[in-house]
Amino acid sequence: MKTARLSVNAGEVRRQFPFFQPHPEMRSVIYLDNAATTQKPYTVIEAVSNFWAHHNATVHRGGHGVGAKASELYEAARTRVAQFLNAREPNEIVFTRGTTEAINLVATAWGEAFVQAGDEIIVTELEHHANLLPWMRLAEKQQATLKVWRITDDGRLNLDDLRELLTERTRLVAVSHISNVLGGVNPVAEICHLAHAAGALCLVDAAQSIAHMRVDVQRIECDFLMFSGHKAYGPTGIGALYAKREHLEAMPPYHVGGGMVQTVRWERVRWAEPPMKFEAGTPPIGEAIGLHAALDFIDSIGREAIESYEHELTQYALRRLQETPGVRLYGPVPDRTGIFAFTLEDIHPHDIATVLDTRDIAVRAGLHCAHPLSERLGGPTVRASLALYNDTDHIDALIEALHHTRQVFGYAG
Ligand code: PLP
């Protein structure tokens, strides 16, 4: 496979990122840790720095033109997120610090109001701690039951298993769109359909899908969906929660403070309408504007083009990893994306990552903030994860470095 034939030219994409330009004091890195965070294009960095240089003011408060402009830019970012997700209206988008905060918001504000003793919440065995611990804590607090939807031996979720778990006491099914360890794409529209048929709500953690495929909340019909800007070429400290308007209206606030009230009297407080009701305090304004630029960057390449390019690259990586002696690859083979958890012989994954680092290849090793899943897999793994600026040369360099690692640890041939 040659990258040039494909819909995305990764070399041209890299030219849009300062991280990939030669620097006198930095070594150039093959960056394969995109599931942790992605690099940022110039346009995102410039959007953030332009805001801080020329438009800095807080939003929805100041009685001056600078504040009005800042508010306009911040609300334009919300409208952009709504459009990107195909939400019905911008008011269904709440800015948060990221996926973790968005799930905590739902688990606290919605969960403590609507989950009672004896109710059930279903989570999958695949979840990142961000979509696990808030539900474990909620279940304990409300004396509800947390049910675990186990994966099959080949790392998939079987819908029949969900059918068996759902009961009339189920209040919510919480599932990741793409596993941050195994890279499998979960059938979230079908999952939400089954949850709704049982009278439950459905929450989708889109942290690993947002930058790699089209995410359409109306097509998925989820009740809640969230993502982090920094995994989608945007800044850290910003993410978004999508929630159906009826839920945002029914939920009490999460944090309370400035900016989220209409009136405060000693005897009575009137909350602002959503989404303001959930955005207490000064929000991450420059970061939201940076997120807007990141979504523009993604759409400038095209989401279908990204998906098809990354699919080809994933198939190539899959093939090369499968034919590398000593590699044990985890996760499903069909319906997967460019996140590869693997081990090499019985070399400790941290040692593998260290050897790869000496060759300027950045991967992650460990339990990937998914301890129950890692335990099911048998322990720590190395994780290489792709983005649209990676190409087949990067995969070849990884494979070559894995051969080298085997030799370093005394495996012949
Ligand atoms: N969910 C998944 C599937 C993730 O991969 C991650 C981060 O790796 C998160 C949630 C948490 O994202 P953040 O740390 O940006 O809040």
Side-chain angles (χ1 to χ4, degrees):
M1 188 191 77
K2 275 279 161 254
T3 315
R5 280 200 285 116
L6 297 170
S7 44
V8 170
N9 182 328
E12 264 170 32
V13 173
R14 285 197 296 279
R15 277 196 280 286
Q16 301 183 47
F17 287 73
F19 183 86
F20 298 115
Q21 306 317 309
H23 188 286
E25 286 154 31
M26 313 283 275
R27 298 161 68 116
S28 86
V29 170
I30 294 180
Y31 188 76
L32 297 175
D33 196 14
N34 294 288
T37 197
T38 54
Q39 299 304 330
K40 321 299 172 201
Y42 288 106
T43 51
V44 167
I45 298 166
E46 281 158 12
V48 176
S49 103
N50 187 47
F51 170 74
W52 280 335
H54 304 296
H55 302 296
N56 179 48
T58 193
V59 291
H60 307 140
R61 290 159 172 77
H64 48 71
V66 195
K69 180 67 181 172
S71 303
E72 184 190 316
L73 292 169
Y74 181 70
E75 289 307 321
R78 190 190 310 279
T79 302
R80 185 69 178 92
V81 173
Q83 185 220 0
F84 196 82
L85 296 177
N86 194 28
R88 287 165 204 84
E89 48 170 320
N91 289 343
E92 291 181 318
I93 304 300
V94 176
F95 281 124
T96 64
R97 281 197 294 129
T99 308
T100 303
E101 191 182 48
I103 300 173
N104 274 279
L105 189 164
V106 178
T108 306
W110 174 83
E112 292 183 10
F114 294 100
V115 176
Q116 316 297 337
D119 285 347
E120 297 164 358
I121 296 160
I122 299 177
V123 293
T124 88
E125 199 177 8
L126 288 169
E127 299 312 309
H128 185 282
H129 294 163
N131 200 22
L132 195 53
L133 299 181
W135 306 115
M136 287 174 94
R137 189 168 68 170
L138 176 72
E140 199 178 327
K141 203 163 179 177
Q142 304 298 99
Q143 296 182 318
T145 304
L146 192 74
K147 286 176 148 180
V148 182
W149 180 7
R150 305 270 174 203
I151 53 171
T152 59
D153 286 340
D154 60 349
R156 286 178 308 103
L157 290 171
N158 182 339
L159 291 174
D160 284 337
D161 295 340
L162 175 61
R163 286 187 187 95
E164 283 192 12
L165 289 172
L166 284 162
T167 72
E168 77 281 359
R169 295 306 306 257
T170 310
R171 293 287 160 266
L172 181 89
V173 179
V175 60
S176 51
H177 199 174
I178 293 178
S179 157
N180 69 307
V181 180
L182 300 179
V185 184
N186 294 320
V188 287
E190 287 90 330
I191 293 169
C192 288
H193 180 74
L194 288 176
H196 291 156
L201 301 188
C202 184
L203 175 144
V204 176
D205 169 354
Q208 293 298 345
S209 57
I210 193 74
H212 306 284
M213 61 194 291
R214 190 170 284 282
V215 174
D216 180 330
V217 292
Q218 292 195 61
R219 200 188 64 72
I220 300 171
E221 283 194 66
C222 47
D223 297 280
F224 305 103
L225 180 141
M226 56 288 296
F227 71 90
S228 304
H230 71 97
K231 293 183 197 287
Y233 311 106
T236 50
I238 186 73
L241 162 68
Y242 156 82
K244 283 183 183 159
R245 192 187 171 92
E246 68 207 71
H247 301 317
L248 290 179
E249 277 169 1
M251 283 156 62
Y254 175 46
H255 292 151
V256 291
M260 48 75 70
V261 284
Q262 285 177 14
T263 53
V264 179
R265 306 258 181 280
W266 292 118
E267 57 285 356
R268 176 153 192 241
V269 176
R270 284 167 62 93
W271 310 124
E273 292 296 315
M276 290 303 131
K277 184 167 83 172
F278 299 99
E279 293 184 6
T282 306
I285 308 163
E287 289 79 354
I289 291 163
L291 176 60
H292 186 159
L295 302 182
D296 285 351
F297 164 76
I298 291 175
D299 278 344
S300 74
I301 310 285
R303 280 186 267 175
E304 279 65 30
I306 291 173
E307 197 173 336
S308 91
Y309 173 70
E310 292 188 3
H311 177 74
E312 295 273 332
L313 197 58
T314 297
Q315 295 309 309
Y316 181 79
L318 201 53
R319 223 171 32 247
R320 297 257 22 223
L321 282 164
Q322 280 167 335
E323 69 196 22
T324 303
V327 166
R328 175 161 183 213
L329 190 60
Y330 297 85
V333 173
D335 273 341
R336 69 171 301 146
T337 54
I339 298 176
F340 301 97
F342 61 91
T343 49
L344 178 66
E345 306 291 4
D346 56 5
I347 309 168
H348 195 284
H350 285 151
D351 293 333
I352 300 169
T354 304
V355 177
L356 296 184
D357 193 43
T358 64
R359 298 227 157 172
D360 297 315
I361 298 175
V363 294
R364 178 163 167 180
L367 304 173
H368 314 300
C369 297
H371 290 188
L373 175 60
S374 292
E375 198 176 311
R376 168 83 186 258
L377 300 181
T381 51
V382 179
R383 183 185 71 184
S385 51
L386 308 177
L388 81 156
Y389 38 60
N390 294 123
D391 60 23
T392 52
D393 289 348
H394 297 168
I395 310 291
D396 293 344
L398 171 68
I399 301 298
E400 219 278 297
L402 290 176
H403 283 290
H404 168 69
T405 309
R406 286 184 82 236
Q407 280 166 8
V408 168
F409 283 90
Y411 291 91

